[in-house]
Amino acid sequence: MSPNTTATLGLIFLFVLMALRMPVSFAMILAGFLGNAYIISTDAAIYMLATNVWGQLSSYGLSVIPMFVLMGQFAYHSGITERLYDAAYKWVGRLPGGLAITTLLSSAGFAAICGSNSAATATMGTIALPQMRKYGYDRALSTGTVAIGGTLGVVIPPSVVLIIIAVQTEQSITPLFIACIVPGLFLTLIFISIVFWLCIQNPNLGPPGSKTEMREKLISLTGVAEAMILFLLVIGGLYAGWFTPTEAGAAGSFGALLIGLARRKLSKQGFAKAVTETIRISAMVVMLITGAVIFGKFLTVTRLPFELADWAAKLNVPREIILLVVLLIYLVGGCLMDALGFLVVTIPIFFPLSQALGFNPVWFTVVITLVTTMGAVTPPVAVNIYIVKGLSPGVPIETIFRGTLIFLIAYVICLVLLFIFPEMALFLPKFLR
Amino acid sequence: MAFLDWFNAMLNRGLAFVASLSLIAMMLVTVGEMVSRMFGHPMAGTIETTTWLAAVTTAFALGYTQIHRGHVSIDLFVNRLGLRLRAVINMLMYLTLTALFMIVTWNLFLHAGVLRKSGSLSETMKVIVYPWVYLASLGCAGLTLALIVDFVRSCMEAFSRRNGREESKFSHKPKGDK
């Protein structure tokens, strides 16, 4: 059997295992191990298995993951999110759809200190959904806002997805973080514009809230200040070269812990929950990367990614068309399976392809991050939608999908602009270099 | 089965507790080094210490994550099947995964032995590395045990006399966090 046929069969085998509900990370380890055993030898495959597992578990590059997850968890359990929400409400609550806009602004604020999609959705949903229910907000608008706001957790740095892509493609994490700032803020702005437009068209969707005194508004800014300090400490420290990414995450975690203790908001139970959630998420992510490394080595031995890249580079088709096909694959894949899992599986194939086609690696990373993030709200597998459904059991899932759908326009606009003006992502990393 | 369940829960809870301590130690060591660096006294070997603590944090949480169904999987297709067929698929899957992680555990153990015999030392602090590899092997053993328990449970589900109309009494629902 030719190496390319073996690689193709390996990929089919991997997708069958995943379809049978085998955890994605374990499926990649198994398929990669068996593939290596077939292509090289069983002894070599066993040796590679043990050394790769140890290599990833003890990788300094991956030690950044628990630190950033811990920062988000401490921030959540320290009540930073509530204070962000309160501040945003005092400033924009009076506008039509004020609570929905508040939700989006505080989602963006929380995203700046938390790198996870699901954590951002669950956190904001817990706070925002009861409020919007209380003020008679339309159910599709309220649930849709929470679900789409959660996706900002991945787009606005720090982001676990960006860290994973950086580790897999051996890129520096810092430029990726910086490159996502403008698209993240732009998305937030379009989300807010959509809510505003919807509520102007039909005021019943989101009635404006009560007036707030300027003094209250100014006092509420202390709630934003602590999140801003954490964000500036982490991202600023990274760019100034004070910290490695792991140190930035550790400094952010320690800062969030100190805020929680100083405010007397972090209980013993909250602390324990933050730590156990962190070890769980970290184990899941590190195993995903371990699986991707083992499966990626199998693909590398077969040379499939490189031959695919060579083949695509020689095609008499504009490279943008090939990229669109790749993005379509990511979009469909993100709909059918967990977006993070799909990303990890396909990066070893499509990243070399993008490089052979001459796309900027930072720009490509931003684009695929946006496309796969859409997978968190597109049916049938849509993690954010299910989290929102769990938080508001009375709302039919179709209503949540309907409420989220209109916000996908923002992603499409952002992607089109990124294609036309790649500098939208690349300007800031170049400027701050 | 009750003993196996109890032992699995106790072992993986204990490992998760150590993983939690290791996580906090990782944060404190990293912040401590940054502070002492600010005062002109960098601590040598912090990166090595962080990587070992990261290895313990992740490896010791593997079984706990499995017990809480924390590893990402796709429910889309299997959820359309009957309960008994699902249980049979689970049984085969957990059997395969148990074998896979037995290989991983055993070979990590052997790898630690090789490092011990060769007297391999870390680059900066010049201390032995192999104990950390043994610990990683122990973490993988915790995951293997969790998979064995899942395998036994799915066997009981597959061979129970109930037909697939209702959730079997053996169906596993993780306790604690949602």
Side-chain angles (χ1 to χ4, degrees):
Chain A
M1 205 186 309
S2 76
N4 279 350
T5 315
T6 313
T8 312
L9 287 177
L11 276 167
I12 294 169
F13 180 61
L14 173 66
F15 282 104
V16 169
L17 291 178
M18 290 193 296
L20 294 176
R21 209 166 51 178
M22 183 177 282
V24 176
S25 49
F26 300 165
M28 285 193 288
I29 294 174
L30 181 62
F33 167 66
L34 293 177
N36 284 327
Y38 180 77
I39 289 268
I40 313 170
S41 71
T42 309
D43 285 347
I46 289 175
Y47 179 76
M48 281 167 74
L49 186 65
T51 50
N52 279 317
V53 169
W54 169 244
Q56 297 310 308
L57 288 176
S58 63
S59 153
Y60 185 68
L62 292 189
S63 63
V64 63
I65 289 167
M67 291 294 96
F68 272 110
V69 177
L70 186 63
M71 174 179 156
Q73 289 290 331
F74 276 155
Y76 169 48
H77 290 282
S78 300
I80 291 178
T81 334
E82 278 107 332
R83 293 191 287 279
L84 271 174
Y85 192 82
D86 183 54
Y89 180 68
K90 288 198 166 123
W91 283 90
V92 299
R94 266 200 84 194
L95 298 173
L99 273 173
I101 297 174
T102 300
T103 306
L104 289 167
L105 279 176
S106 27
S107 295
F110 187 61
I113 46 173
C114 166
S116 154
N117 204 349
S118 46
T121 311
T123 308
M124 288 318 304
T126 315
I127 301 163
L129 286 171
Q131 292 294 325
M132 289 195 269
R133 200 177 307 135
K134 189 171 143 192
Y135 285 98
Y137 269 56
D138 177 72
R139 293 194 300 181
L141 179 71
S142 56
T143 51
T145 313
V146 171
I148 203 74
T151 62
L152 294 172
V154 166
V155 181
I156 295 178
S159 155
V160 171
V161 169
L162 289 175
I163 294 171
I164 291 172
I165 299 177
V167 170
Q168 269 196 283
T169 58
E170 296 178 349
Q171 293 184 72
S172 169
I173 291 172
T174 317
L176 297 183
F177 276 5
I178 301 290
C180 269
I181 291 179
V182 174
L185 293 178
F186 184 73
L187 277 174
T188 312
L189 201 66
I190 311 182
F191 291 159
I192 290 172
S193 309
I194 291 172
V195 169
F196 196 69
W197 179 75
L198 285 173
C199 294
I200 291 281
Q201 297 287 312
N202 181 0
N204 290 333
L205 290 180
S210 54
K211 196 180 171 189
T212 315
E213 297 292 319
M214 182 51 82
R215 193 171 158 275
E216 280 180 86
K217 284 183 183 174
L218 291 174
I219 291 172
S220 74
L221 286 180
T222 53
V224 180
E226 50 198 26
M228 277 306 287
I229 290 169
L230 278 180
F231 177 74
L232 290 175
L233 174 76
V234 169
I235 303 296
L238 265 176
Y239 235 87
W242 299 340
F243 311 138
T244 63
T246 304
E247 288 172 345
S253 306
F254 195 66
L257 176 65
L258 287 184
I259 290 170
L261 293 175
R263 289 236 182 211
R264 297 178 183 276
K265 288 279 182 183
L266 186 63
S267 62
K268 268 186 196 167
Q269 290 83 354
F271 179 87
K273 187 101 169 100
V275 172
T276 47
E277 276 294 305
T278 302
I279 60 166
R280 241 171 68 177
I281 296 170
S282 304
M284 180 270 283
V285 173
V286 172
M287 281 317 268
L288 266 177
I289 296 175
T290 306
V293 166
I294 292 171
F295 191 72
K297 288 205 169 151
F298 159 61
L299 288 183
T300 308
V301 172
T302 64
R303 294 199 49 79
L304 180 77
F306 310 108
E307 291 189 15
L308 181 71
D310 284 347
W311 172 77
K314 283 177 195 154
L315 279 178
N316 201 11
V317 182
R319 61 179 192 153
E320 286 75 17
I321 302 289
I322 300 171
L323 184 68
L324 281 177
V325 173
V326 170
L327 295 182
L328 194 67
I329 294 171
Y330 272 107
L331 192 63
V332 174
C335 290
L336 290 178
M337 61 180 277
D338 177 82
L340 183 61
F342 188 75
L343 193 69
V344 169
V345 172
T346 50
I347 280 280
I349 300 168
F350 292 129
F351 189 75
L353 175 67
S354 76
Q355 297 314 289
L357 294 173
F359 288 107
N360 181 297
V362 173
W363 179 85
F364 180 73
T365 304
V366 174
V367 169
I368 54 167
T369 302
L370 289 185
V371 173
T372 44
T373 301
M374 289 165 77
V377 288
T378 46
V381 179
V383 64
N384 285 17
I385 303 285
Y386 297 130
I387 291 171
V388 174
K389 170 74 185 157
L391 293 170
S392 45
V395 183
I397 202 146
E398 303 79 38
T399 307
I400 309 175
F401 275 122
R402 187 160 49 80
T404 314
L405 203 63
I406 190 157
F407 292 104
L408 290 178
I409 295 169
Y411 271 97
V412 175
I413 294 172
C414 193
L415 282 165
V416 170
L417 286 177
L418 271 169
F419 263 87
I420 302 171
F421 309 111
E423 291 302 310
M424 190 176 164
L426 300 177
F427 165 73
L428 213 50
K430 279 182 196 162
F431 179 72
L432 290 173
R433 192 183 287 160
Chain B
M1 184 65 198
F3 173 75
L4 200 59
D5 247 342
W6 172 83
F7 183 61
N8 178 34
M10 290 309 287
L11 178 77
N12 278 307
R13 215 176 288 165
L15 290 175
F17 180 71
V18 179
S20 304
L21 293 180
S22 173
L23 175 73
I24 298 301
M26 214 171 126
M27 180 186 75
L28 293 177
V29 165
T30 311
V31 172
E33 202 278 334
M34 283 154 61
V35 172
S36 59
R37 201 169 62 205
M38 268 167 53
F39 291 101
H41 300 288
M43 287 154 51
T46 315
I47 290 183
E48 281 176 354
T49 314
T50 307
T51 58
W52 297 329
L53 289 172
V56 171
T57 303
T58 316
F60 278 26
L62 287 174
Y64 180 79
T65 309
Q66 175 60 25
I67 290 174
H68 287 82
R69 297 291 179 266
H71 295 289
V72 174
S73 56
I74 304 157
D75 290 337
L76 190 63
F77 308 104
V78 173
N79 277 357
R80 290 162 198 266
L81 306 174
L83 276 182
R84 192 181 297 275
L85 185 56
R86 239 188 286 175
V88 171
I89 289 172
N90 280 345
M91 191 179 80
L92 295 173
M93 180 183 79
Y94 287 127
L95 181 65
T96 313
L97 287 179
T98 302
L100 177 71
F101 279 94
M102 272 181 178
I103 295 173
V104 173
T105 306
W106 178 240
N107 282 281
L108 271 176
F109 189 81
L110 293 180
H111 184 56
V114 171
L115 292 177
R116 185 167 58 90
K117 277 186 192 146
S118 67
S120 180
L121 300 176
S122 70
E123 280 179 23
T124 314
M125 293 200 289
K126 304 291 176 206
V127 294
I128 45 174
V129 179
Y130 72 86
W132 300 99
V133 189
Y134 276 127
L135 289 177
S137 171
L138 177 62
C140 288
L143 172 61
T144 310
L145 178 64
L147 290 167
I148 290 171
V149 171
D150 284 334
F151 168 65
V152 174
R153 189 175 285 122
S154 49
C155 284
M156 290 162 87
E157 264 184 61
F159 298 116
S160 72
R161 290 198 175 178
R162 288 166 171 235
N163 58 31
R165 285 198 177 176
E166 56 183 310
E167 206 50 44
S168 157
K169 65 179 173 177
F170 303 114
S171 288
H172 177 61
K173 290 236 171 73
K175 288 171 192 164
D177 313 310
K178 281 176 208 164

